[in-house]
Amino acid sequence: MEARFVFSFLCITVVCVHSSPSPLEDIVVDKYYVPKICSRTVASGDYVRYHYNGTFMDEKKFDSSHDRGTPFSGQVGLGKLITGVDRGIQGMCVNERRKLTVPPHLAYGSVGAGDVVPPDTTLVFDVLLLDIWNMADKVQTSTISKSQDCKRTVQNSDFIRYHYNGTLMDGTPFDSSYDRKQTYNTYIGEGWLIKGMEGGLLGMCVGEKRNIIIPPFLAYGEKGYGTEIPPHASLTFDVLLVDLHNPKDDIVVDNEVVPESCSRKSVVGDFIRYHYNGTFLDGTPFDSSYQRNNTYNTYIGMGYVIAGMDKALQGVCMGEKRRITMPPHMAYGENGAGEDIPGSAVLVFNIHVIDFHNPKDLVDIQIIHKPEDCNLTTDGDDLIHYQYNCSLMDGTLLFSSNDYENAQETTLGADKVIDGLDEGLRGMCVGEKRVLIIPPHLGHGVNGASGVPASAVLHFDLELLGVQKGVPEGYLFVWLKDTPPELFTVLDINKDKEVPLEEFTEFIKLQVAEGKGRLRPGQDPEAIIKDMFKNQDRNKDGKITAEELKLKVEEDAEKAQHEEL
């Protein structure tokens, strides 16, 4: 109702009251709809917004805020409304509907209101209350639900991300971040939000849901905002805090599970393999290496991963588990990453370090048991028998000699096993037990092998069961003592100046038995001796002569000191 109506009514009321000594009729209030929930009612001094239809007693309409599309706003109890309406809306709840029958002396009296309301007219107002507020109001907050694990709350200068539904006091929605499918992201305490929202968000925990009611003077005031928020509108927000951080934040490492044995911690330049689950602060998952059934493999401290992860992976032990909370400026920043990680998102990684190594690492040999009597040790070219278990550093068993009927056999230096194992098997005594930690460049490398992941550090439990001393590659027999000066003379046992296979075999077996020479282990001695004989029998007549032996020795003059013959 316009101000001129109010002014006219006030003047007429004085005249009517003093000119008529009889009692005057009061307003009639019909509360035909009262909401079940009513947290507040209109009191004197409150500001209100309401829609109305104004009719005469014959239901003829003379005014309507609905027709204008703009609700009426005013203050109650201070004579700024016609008296009948002023009285009739007190005690109303938001969304309540009342029909007010206002007699003339409480409306526009004997004067009326221009050409709209005749003198001495009873008026009927159908009122729908939309809003109540008072200049003494403050922001009202109520917690709908709260995370049990709340280590930190929103403070000024924090950057936050939150979802919200915004409605007017009558429940009319005006905005929703859910509809846009993205959070609202902003700093707190720097004037980027309406005052009431800044105050209402303070003290919230991530995962907390809060209802915030903001009076107009702490929202968009007398001007409103666009077409969605009318002037003098109180606002209500249902807010879900998704995450928060401060630009000064560093990574936070907690929930650490460190193995009892940790001989070494990771450093810059190491290559690491680890599993992880990645979530946002509210627990929503965005990625997991477990789902791909592959570890994430990278170098540390060289910029191959986001800064927060690069830092968090330094100083870890093999087998360690830890949770890393990472602010966005140490993760994917204000732009996020693809569709999975939104801008300015705080990330949480639960990681499990499988192993790490450095390209300069050697085989780590740990002697678990060594017999007191250890006069003979393994070396290159030796034929050895051993037992082993091979596993990853997290304990996953890959291979075991127990899977075979017989112990494993290999010749050291013959490229029959991975380099790290060949190295770790050297210098062992029979009965000795060792643990080997083999970096991938001495194992199965960056490509791995059947059953062995790429770039995997390997753990071997070894026990040496037996050793047969070997001969250099390309040799069948070596002298362990000086070669006899007149070799053919000692070979020619019957002194007939010819050495057949039988004499040659008898001689070689004697040298082995007396410890003067050694045959290549792991093969049939008879076959080896026969091959040796063929090598000396130059003309293939089944006999070795002094001349044939001499020619052979001259050809091999540049070989190692303990040559064949």
Side-chain angles (χ1 to χ4, degrees):
M1 285 151 286
E2 298 179 2
R4 65 176 183 273
F5 293 173
V6 177
F7 178 78
S8 300
F9 163 72
L10 290 175
C11 295
I12 295 298
T13 300
V14 175
V15 173
C16 292
V17 170
H18 288 281
S19 63
S20 176
S22 61
L24 299 176
E25 186 180 359
D26 202 351
I27 62 171
V28 177
V29 177
D30 178 11
K31 304 178 181 179
Y32 68 90
Y33 175 75
V34 178
K36 293 181 180 180
I37 298 176
C38 182
S39 59
R40 176 176 180 176
T41 60
V42 177
S44 180
D46 284 343
Y47 289 83
V48 293
R49 278 192 318 111
Y50 59 89
H51 268 304
Y52 70 91
N53 284 319
T55 64
F56 301 124
M57 291 297 288
D58 61 0
E59 298 185 354
K60 181 180 179 181
K61 187 189 299 183
F62 67 85
D63 192 15
S64 173
S65 65
H66 294 282
D67 293 346
R68 291 191 297 274
T70 303
F72 181 84
S73 300
Q75 192 173 13
V76 177
L78 299 180
K80 296 183 178 181
L81 308 175
I82 62 172
T83 304
V85 174
D86 208 339
R87 293 181 185 178
I89 65 175
Q90 293 195 37
M92 284 188 77
C93 306
V94 170
N95 284 329
E96 183 177 344
R97 291 178 178 270
R98 288 184 180 183
K99 185 171 74 172
L100 309 178
T101 304
V102 182
H105 68 281
L106 296 177
Y108 295 101
S110 60
V111 177
D115 297 333
V116 178
V117 180
D120 298 315
T121 302
T122 298
L123 304 179
V124 179
F125 294 93
D126 193 314
V127 178
L128 168 61
L129 188 66
L130 303 176
D131 201 348
I132 314 169
W133 60 279
N134 195 290
M135 289 300 295
D137 287 348
K138 297 180 180 179
V139 175
Q140 300 176 51
T141 62
S142 58
T143 298
I144 300 170
S145 64
K146 192 171 185 177
S147 173
Q148 294 181 349
D149 184 18
C150 183
K151 299 179 179 179
R152 175 176 179 178
T153 61
V154 176
Q155 305 294 327
N156 282 327
S157 79
D158 283 343
F159 189 90
I160 63 172
R161 296 192 310 120
Y162 62 95
H163 271 302
Y164 69 90
N165 286 317
T167 63
L168 304 179
M169 289 299 290
D170 65 346
T172 301
F174 62 82
D175 192 17
S176 173
S177 64
Y178 295 98
D179 291 345
R180 294 189 297 275
K181 297 182 179 179
Q182 61 184 25
T183 56
Y184 191 87
N185 309 336
T186 186
Y187 283 96
I188 290 292
E190 297 191 11
W192 289 22
L193 295 169
I194 55 175
K195 290 183 179 179
M197 182 60 87
E198 287 212 337
L201 291 168
L202 290 174
M204 286 191 74
C205 303
V206 170
E208 180 178 345
K209 293 182 179 179
R210 180 179 284 191
N211 178 260
I212 303 171
I213 300 175
I214 304 173
F217 57 90
L218 295 176
Y220 293 99
E222 61 184 14
K223 293 183 179 180
Y225 188 83
T227 59
E228 302 296 329
I229 301 177
H232 304 291
S234 299
L235 306 180
T236 179
F237 292 89
D238 287 318
V239 175
L240 168 63
L241 187 65
V242 174
D243 71 17
L244 75 152
H245 74 278
N246 195 283
K248 298 179 181 179
D249 285 349
D250 198 351
I251 61 170
V252 175
V253 177
D254 57 9
N255 284 15
E256 293 179 281
V257 179
V258 182
E260 292 182 5
S261 175
C262 182
S263 59
R264 177 189 161 192
K265 294 185 176 182
S266 61
V267 297
V268 171
D270 283 346
F271 189 87
I272 192 168
R273 298 191 314 123
Y274 63 97
H275 271 302
Y276 69 88
N277 285 318
T279 68
F280 300 119
L281 265 183
D282 63 356
T284 302
F286 63 82
D287 192 18
S288 172
S289 64
Y290 294 99
Q291 292 179 351
R292 295 188 295 274
N293 200 30
N294 284 312
T295 56
Y296 192 89
N297 308 335
T298 186
Y299 284 95
I300 301 173
M302 301 175 70
Y304 289 107
V305 290
I306 52 178
M309 185 63 79
D310 224 354
K311 183 174 182 179
L313 291 172
Q314 297 178 38
V316 297
C317 301
M318 291 189 190
E320 182 172 341
K321 296 180 180 179
R322 56 171 49 180
R323 182 174 65 186
I324 307 157
T325 304
M326 201 174 299
H329 52 271
M330 300 191 75
Y332 293 99
E334 60 184 17
N335 295 322
E339 297 181 355
D340 295 325
I341 300 177
S344 302
V346 177
L347 306 182
V348 178
F349 290 91
N350 285 284
I351 68 168
H352 179 199
V353 179
I354 304 302
D355 62 37
F356 54 83
H357 73 280
N358 195 282
K360 298 179 181 179
D361 282 350
L362 303 176
V363 178
D364 181 10
I365 300 175
Q366 304 166 27
I367 298 175
I368 306 303
H369 169 73
K370 191 168 187 175
E372 293 183 4
D373 183 12
C374 183
N375 297 320
L376 181 66
T377 60
T378 56
D379 202 351
D381 303 315
D382 289 350
L383 179 70
I384 64 168
H385 293 79
Y386 64 101
Q387 288 182 331
Y388 74 92
N389 287 318
C390 174
S391 61
L392 300 178
M393 294 305 293
D394 64 356
T396 302
L397 183 65
L398 299 179
F399 312 107
S400 175
S401 58
N402 295 325
D403 297 334
Y404 305 94
E405 292 184 5
N406 300 316
Q408 293 298 288
E409 176 183 288
T410 191
T411 300
L412 296 180
D415 292 329
K416 294 184 177 181
V417 295
I418 56 175
D419 292 346
L421 179 58
D422 191 283
E423 180 180 337
L425 286 166
R426 298 185 184 224
M428 290 187 75
C429 306
V430 173
E432 184 176 340
K433 296 180 179 180
R434 288 182 176 182
V435 168
L436 308 182
I437 307 298
I438 301 177
H441 52 273
L442 296 174
H444 292 284
V446 296
N447 296 319
S450 178
V452 181
S455 301
V457 177
L458 301 180
H459 179 287
F460 276 87
D461 291 303
L462 296 178
E463 181 180 4
L464 186 66
L465 302 180
V467 57
Q468 298 177 52
K469 299 303 291 182
V471 299
E473 184 68 26
Y475 286 80
L476 301 174
F477 172 90
V478 293
W479 290 100
L480 301 178
K481 296 183 178 180
D482 291 338
T483 305
E486 296 294 335
L487 181 57
F488 186 80
T489 300
V490 295
L491 274 170
D492 185 13
I493 298 175
N494 61 8
K495 307 304 179 185
D496 63 354
K497 297 183 180 181
E498 294 180 341
V499 179
L501 176 60
E502 294 76 12
E503 265 187 335
F504 186 83
T505 300
E506 182 181 349
F507 173 78
I508 294 298
K509 286 184 175 181
L510 180 63
Q511 307 312 304
V512 172
E514 293 179 351
K516 297 178 181 179
R518 181 164 66 235
L519 291 168
R520 173 173 290 280
Q523 299 180 28
D524 180 14
E526 298 287 343
I528 294 177
I529 295 173
K530 189 173 182 180
D531 285 343
M532 292 174 63
F533 181 82
K534 288 180 179 180
N535 289 338
Q536 303 296 328
D537 182 12
R538 304 285 291 179
N539 60 10
K540 307 303 179 185
D541 63 353
K543 302 182 290 291
I544 300 173
T545 64
E547 189 64 23
E548 285 176 317
L549 183 65
K550 180 179 179 183
L551 288 172
K552 181 62 179 174
V553 172
E554 289 175 352
E555 289 179 1
D556 296 340
E558 295 182 359
K559 287 187 177 181
Q561 181 179 359
H562 299 303
E563 55 189 83
E564 277 192 13
L565 287 175

